Amino acid sequence: MLELNLSPIYYRTGLNSPVPFPGLPANASAYAHQLQTYCAVTRTRNYAQVSRWCQTCELAQTCEVAQLAPLPQHGTLCITNSAVTGGGKTLAAYAYGVQHCLTGDKVLGVYPTNELLHDQKRAIYQLFQTIHKRPPTEGIDGELLIVDGEFLRQEKDAGEQNIKLIEYILKRAKIVLTNPDILYLLCHHLYASSRELTGRTITAFSILIRDFRTIIFDEFHLYNSKQQAAVLWLVGLSAQLFSTVETPHPHSFIFSSATPLDEAGFAEKLAALNTLGVSTVTIQQPGESHGRPVMEAVKLRLESANLRAWQGEGKAIEFLPELQQLLHQTPHHRCLYVMDAVAAARRLKQELTQLFNPDDVGEAHGFVRPEEKRQALRKRHTTGTSGIEVGIDFTGDYFKDILLFEARTSAQFLQRLGRIGRNGREGGENIAIAIVPPEVLNCLLEYPQLPQPFNRIHLPRLINHGFRYFNPEGFVGYLERYAPLEAEYTSQIYLKGFEYGKNPVTGNWEETQERRITRNQLNELIQTLYPGHNRQTAYKELKQLLANGTISGILGFRDGGGVVEANIYRAIGGKRENGKPLDADFSPLLNLEIPYFDSPKSQQAQTFPFHSYSLTYLLRRTHCRFITAAEFSDYLQRYDSYPEAQTYLKQLAQANPMIYAIVLGDLPKPRRWHFYSNSGQYRWVKQGIKQKRDYPILEKVRRISGLSVELEKTEAALDIDILNQALEKRDAIAYIGKGNAFRYAIETHLPPLFELHPFRWGASEAQYYLAFDLNAFFLSSLDSVNPACII
């Protein structure tokens, strides 16, 4: 065990600056990073005004913003603002946009989770009210709107296309909050349902770039390499393709991050866009020894458990009697428990209900409905997973001051620790218990006597050192291998929006000047972001992915684009040599999101006991039974009168589920199972004869069929045959490797909870592992030598 008393982090206030920072409560002043971010955005609109501010501002001598040159009419400024969790980044990013949103300066806020969308809406609502002295109007024709998948399902009329609804919203709303998945689909034209709608898709994205002059990416430190590449492409498109739109306004992209961004990754590629007219500025807020406390003091205790073997759950349960005694002595405390696995969070909830009033205990994770999560966050005890570690302020109704959490990486440790101590109190009593791998605790114990209190400013360096052998693979190889193909796909769709013109002299149909300029701009953008690539080489490899049916594995922000695969092929067009469309012979793709009926929850009054969750979790941790669509519909009809029913039906229609389930309860121990196949793999032998292989094709991303699930122990009640009948009708984009899945994940430092499944082939006793969709491409990008991974 290691105990540290972490000192508070202060941000200086009362700076000598003439900047009229908006939205602050009475008798409060802005932090340095807030003033600098506000000035940076203002400088793109009114350079002369900011220059006057700089003449008497005490920050001007050391401020990068003061060194910025004026932007051209269509210029782009990228602002990277890093400040500690709870340090006011939201206010910094939105202050200018909310202040001017009623006069044409629209704001788009992008958040990595839907829970965070709803949480941050409260802060922006209050900011608007403070600045404009009235609350914002909300809704599809209002000033503040959340656009997520649930909203689109509710608002879309029968037969209406999502893209038409989004275009309507973009023309009217002043402040839109959305998730990066929707922005990705819009940027890459994956909402189009036919080739005829391609032009409308381009129009919608053009409206966004034309009208939304401030685009904010919050919690940007959570984006992986692939996701950062998608954002860079969007920034590049705005700088290249929309430099001639009729409204000559510069753009501000704001990247808010709890930690400075890696200079060798995103920041380096962002700087490369300078040649295309993109200016950049980095703003960092250092902690100080006095001022306003942005992170309160925390009593931190580190304990160890073998997290690789999932022993964190048992370790957490061991602490509960100690917490019970503490809460008996000081009943004002409120507790948060953040675990890696949903099963661990559910088990903790069950244990807590034995020790405390069950009405005071809630669970907030992917296995419960969104409205239940929001209610659970208000409980005295809240158990959850990674979904609640991102940006949610555990203040006000959500207030928590005791935290128990697992940490497998340094980033996870620092992110989760930042959930508490954000109330700005002097002398607040915050307690955190971190469960870390034994190697991490032993490393930290080898340090010389650590000072008490420990300066929290130095904590990231200490934790990064302790976790140095657990830093997860970043998949940077993806940027060189597959990111250019994503870019080329989008380029192909853009160019379809330009018609060829008839040469009045020769009478031949030729490329118009506008199309030629756009084609050159796209090629320049790809070469700038990915040196060594161009559209010709990227298109050659893109055609291979289109032909073998794996392209949808990369066309998604985080999970691949299997659900919109039909849109991908309709938009790109093209035919095979026999005249058939490229996707004519493909079966629908595997969809591991399974709708289920929660039988225990159905015993609770006024509860809608239907949800969707991962098939792999249902198999591993629940007493469940697989059922047909007709049987599931019978259960659902009993709840027709519930307000959630229609939304859930729309969700099912969009997802095209392959199987349904009833969940009867949790398993005390994980069920052991694996994927199995022996079909569709052949090898060529002499005389051109094709024979079946006795092992699968390894280390290549392929479209495969014939998967099934096998259990290590027969369970008739599970009705596994119904599941396997559904799997037979589905294809999968997959990467197969030889070896033990658990051991391979450790050896290659795969990120926590990376979906890697055990796999068996034919009659062989050999062990294989299997990854689907985007994860398949991530694994193939680890092999940076063998280009044959693209087939």
Side-chain angles (χ1 to χ4, degrees):
M1 180 179 70
L2 175 65
E3 292 184 331
L4 291 175
N5 293 313
L6 301 179
S7 63
I9 293 179
Y10 296 94
Y11 277 179
R12 183 184 165 194
T13 57
L15 294 164
N16 181 18
S17 173
V19 179
F21 191 83
L24 290 172
N27 302 319
S29 60
Y31 303 135
H33 77 94
Q34 293 174 330
L35 293 174
Q36 291 169 315
T37 303
Y38 180 79
C39 283
V41 179
T42 307
R43 185 176 284 266
T44 67
R45 277 62 159 173
N46 192 333
Y47 183 82
Q49 183 181 44
V50 177
S51 296
R52 289 192 296 271
W53 290 341
C54 290
Q55 292 175 8
T56 57
C57 180
E58 72 168 275
L59 300 173
Q61 298 303 316
T62 58
C63 178
E64 284 192 29
V65 178
Q67 311 306 317
L68 285 173
L71 288 181
Q73 284 186 323
H74 289 285
T76 300
L77 176 63
C78 290
I79 305 162
T80 302
N81 176 19
S82 59
V84 298
T85 300
K89 294 188 296 296
T90 297
L91 178 58
Y94 281 92
Y96 184 94
V98 172
Q99 183 183 27
H100 294 87
C101 67
L102 301 182
T103 56
D105 206 320
K106 295 184 177 183
V107 183
L108 180 71
V110 186
Y111 293 89
T113 69
N114 290 334
E115 289 84 1
L116 184 54
L117 273 177
H118 292 274
D119 183 71
Q120 291 300 301
K121 174 187 169 184
R122 298 182 300 170
I124 296 163
Y125 185 100
Q126 293 170 0
L127 177 60
F128 186 101
Q129 191 165 28
T130 302
I131 292 175
H132 297 290
K133 310 306 178 187
R134 66 171 177 84
T137 57
E138 298 184 60
I140 195 168
D141 288 304
E143 294 156 341
L144 176 60
L145 180 66
I146 288 180
V147 179
D148 58 8
E150 185 176 351
F151 167 83
L152 293 176
R153 284 189 291 270
Q154 290 176 345
E155 294 293 333
K156 188 173 63 173
D157 295 330
E160 183 183 16
Q161 301 298 331
N162 274 327
I163 193 62
K164 185 178 179 181
L165 176 60
I166 291 173
E167 185 177 301
Y168 179 91
I169 292 166
L170 294 177
K171 288 180 178 178
R172 287 160 175 77
K174 305 294 189 293
I175 306 169
V176 173
L177 309 181
T178 190
N179 56 51
D181 305 77
I182 288 177
L183 186 59
Y184 183 96
L185 291 171
L186 187 61
C187 175
H188 291 266
H189 318 303
L190 298 177
Y191 276 125
S193 62
S194 70
R195 292 183 65 183
E196 289 73 25
L197 283 176
T198 298
R200 175 173 292 277
T201 311
I202 293 176
T203 300
F205 189 62
S206 301
I207 291 171
L208 186 153
I209 296 299
R210 182 192 69 194
D211 294 349
F212 285 78
R213 297 169 60 189
T214 304
I215 300 178
I216 300 163
F217 292 89
D218 207 352
E219 303 289 347
F220 196 69
H221 55 283
L222 299 176
Y223 286 38
N224 62 30
S225 296
K226 182 256 195 299
Q227 294 163 347
Q228 290 181 2
V231 173
L232 284 164
W233 178 248
L234 185 149
V235 172
L237 285 178
S238 73
Q240 285 285 83
L241 297 187
F242 299 96
S243 60
T244 57
V245 293
E246 64 270 24
T247 308
H249 291 315
H251 287 91
S252 300
F253 288 89
I254 302 176
F255 305 102
S256 290
S257 172
T259 57
L261 297 179
D262 182 10
E263 291 296 329
F266 178 82
E268 181 180 352
K269 287 196 173 293
L270 191 60
L273 292 176
N274 288 347
T275 60
L276 305 182
V278 177
S279 299
T280 60
V281 62
T282 300
I283 298 169
Q284 295 185 29
Q285 172 78 54
E288 304 198 30
S289 58
H290 64 281
R292 186 182 302 145
V294 292
M295 292 302 294
E296 302 168 3
V298 175
K299 293 181 179 179
L300 173 63
R301 174 172 153 192
L302 286 85
E303 297 275 359
S304 68
N306 187 348
L307 300 185
R308 289 169 170 167
W310 299 96
Q311 292 179 4
E313 175 183 333
K315 192 73 172 181
I317 291 172
E318 289 180 15
F319 292 135
L320 297 187
E322 183 179 335
L323 284 178
Q324 183 185 32
Q325 183 179 1
L326 174 63
L327 293 178
H328 179 72
Q329 297 169 351
T330 52
H332 62 275
H333 284 300
R334 297 170 63 85
C335 305
L336 176 66
Y337 312 82
V338 185
M339 310 299 289
D340 276 336
V342 169
R346 288 173 65 84
R347 172 82 185 282
L348 270 179
K349 188 215 173 182
Q350 294 169 1
E351 296 290 336
L352 288 165
T353 57
Q354 303 299 315
L355 299 175
F356 303 99
N357 182 350
D359 292 337
D360 290 339
V361 183
E363 51 185 327
H365 47 70
F367 208 59
V368 297
R369 300 186 62 80
E371 58 270 21
E372 295 178 60
K373 294 180 189 177
R374 289 189 278 273
Q375 294 172 9
L377 292 172
R378 296 183 174 90
K379 304 276 189 179
R380 188 184 185 195
H381 299 269
T382 303
T383 69
T385 55
S386 57
I388 61 173
E389 73 183 39
V390 181
I392 295 178
D393 288 326
F394 285 94
T395 60
D397 291 345
Y398 294 174
F399 172 76
K400 301 291 190 296
D401 57 359
I402 292 181
L403 171 67
L404 173 63
F405 66 100
E406 289 181 295
R408 294 168 185 258
T409 68
S410 57
Q412 202 179 57
F413 184 103
L414 296 170
Q415 183 73 19
R416 292 179 177 180
L417 179 62
R419 294 308 92 209
I420 62 169
R422 301 169 60 165
N423 287 270
R425 303 173 299 167
E426 288 283 5
E429 298 180 45
N430 300 291
I431 300 171
I433 301 173
I435 305 172
V436 301
E439 297 92 332
V440 173
L441 181 58
N442 292 336
C443 173
L444 298 180
L445 287 173
E446 291 175 359
Y447 263 76
Q449 186 67 34
L450 294 170
Q452 300 287 3
F454 187 81
N455 190 333
R456 189 161 182 166
I457 297 298
H458 304 312
L459 183 65
R461 186 187 308 165
L462 177 69
I463 296 302
N464 286 331
H465 176 74
F467 279 93
R468 63 192 184 280
Y469 297 121
F470 292 86
N471 289 334
E473 169 62 46
F475 302 115
V476 292
Y478 182 94
L479 298 181
E480 293 305 316
R481 177 163 294 178
Y482 297 117
L485 310 191
E486 287 187 71
E488 174 57 20
Y489 172 87
T490 319
S491 300
Q492 289 288 330
I493 304 303
Y494 266 110
L495 290 174
K496 286 179 180 291
F498 295 90
E499 297 180 357
Y500 281 78
K502 195 171 186 179
N503 189 314
V505 178
T506 65
N508 297 328
W509 288 95
E510 297 176 357
E511 186 178 36
T512 61
Q513 182 179 6
E514 185 181 17
R515 189 182 192 279
R516 183 166 57 254
I517 291 172
T518 302
R519 175 169 53 78
N520 291 335
Q521 286 177 317
L522 290 167
N523 194 47
E524 184 180 16
L525 179 56
I526 289 178
Q527 290 178 319
T528 300
L529 288 175
Y530 309 109
H533 293 267
N534 56 48
R535 291 197 53 236
Q536 289 72 31
T537 59
Y539 182 58
K540 181 179 179 181
E541 295 176 346
L542 175 65
K543 286 200 302 183
Q544 291 179 305
L545 300 189
L546 286 165
N548 65 34
T550 60
I551 181 62
S552 64
I554 64 173
L555 288 180
F557 184 75
R558 56 185 115 214
D559 296 322
V563 175
V564 294
E565 184 176 50
N567 294 352
I568 293 171
Y569 280 92
R570 288 192 188 107
I572 198 71
K575 296 183 182 296
R576 298 189 184 275
E577 293 180 0
N578 59 11
K580 289 185 177 181
L582 290 172
D583 61 335
D585 298 324
F586 295 153
S587 297
L589 282 170
L590 206 67
N591 182 1
L592 295 179
E593 193 79 2
I594 304 300
Y596 67 87
F597 172 67
D598 193 328
S599 184
K601 193 162 289 185
S602 69
Q603 308 304 315
Q604 303 173 14
Q606 303 302 313
T607 300
F608 186 71
F610 296 89
H611 194 35
S612 299
Y613 204 62
S614 168
L615 167 67
T616 57
Y617 177 82
L618 298 185
L619 282 169
R620 189 170 61 249
R621 294 307 302 248
T622 70
H623 283 297
C624 62
R625 180 168 65 87
F626 295 105
I627 59 177
T628 63
E631 188 175 352
F632 189 79
S633 179
D634 290 340
Y635 281 101
L636 195 52
Q637 285 178 2
R638 304 175 195 173
Y639 294 85
D640 277 347
S641 60
Y642 280 63
E644 303 95 332
Q646 290 306 310
T647 299
Y648 189 68
L649 284 171
K650 289 182 179 180
Q651 182 181 343
L652 294 184
Q654 178 181 336
N656 186 25
M658 65 178 186
I659 193 63
Y660 303 81
I662 300 173
V663 172
L664 304 171
D666 294 331
L667 289 171
K669 293 183 179 181
R671 177 186 288 115
R672 298 180 69 85
W673 63 275
H674 56 262
F675 282 108
Y676 172 84
S677 179
N678 66 352
S679 64
Q681 309 284 339
Y682 295 90
R683 62 178 175 181
W684 291 97
V685 294
K686 292 180 180 179
Q687 291 85 38
I689 300 172
K690 203 163 62 165
Q691 290 187 352
K692 210 166 200 179
R693 301 164 63 99
D694 53 3
Y695 57 90
I697 296 176
L698 302 177
E699 299 179 354
K700 296 180 185 293
V701 179
R702 296 177 57 85
R703 192 181 186 107
I704 64 175
S705 58
L707 286 177
S708 61
V709 166
E710 287 190 345
L711 309 174
E712 293 201 2
K713 293 183 180 180
T714 302
E715 296 181 54
L718 196 62
D719 282 343
I720 200 72
D721 289 343
I722 294 179
L723 170 62
N724 286 333
Q725 289 169 12
L727 286 172
E728 287 178 2
K729 301 174 184 177
R730 298 279 179 148
D731 289 348
I733 298 171
Y735 176 98
I736 302 172
K738 188 172 184 179
N740 179 274
F742 176 77
R743 190 174 301 114
Y744 178 78
I746 293 174
E747 291 172 351
T748 52
H749 292 264
L750 296 183
L753 307 184
F754 186 95
E755 288 281 356
L756 197 65
H757 310 288
F759 179 61
R760 295 290 186 275
W761 168 263
S764 171
E765 294 297 322
Q767 291 184 324
Y768 300 96
Y769 53 84
L770 181 74
F772 295 121
D773 301 320
L774 184 57
N775 284 341
F777 284 94
F778 278 154
L779 290 190
S780 73
S781 71
L782 297 180
D783 180 7
S784 59
V785 177
N786 180 12
C789 283
I790 304 176
I791 63 171

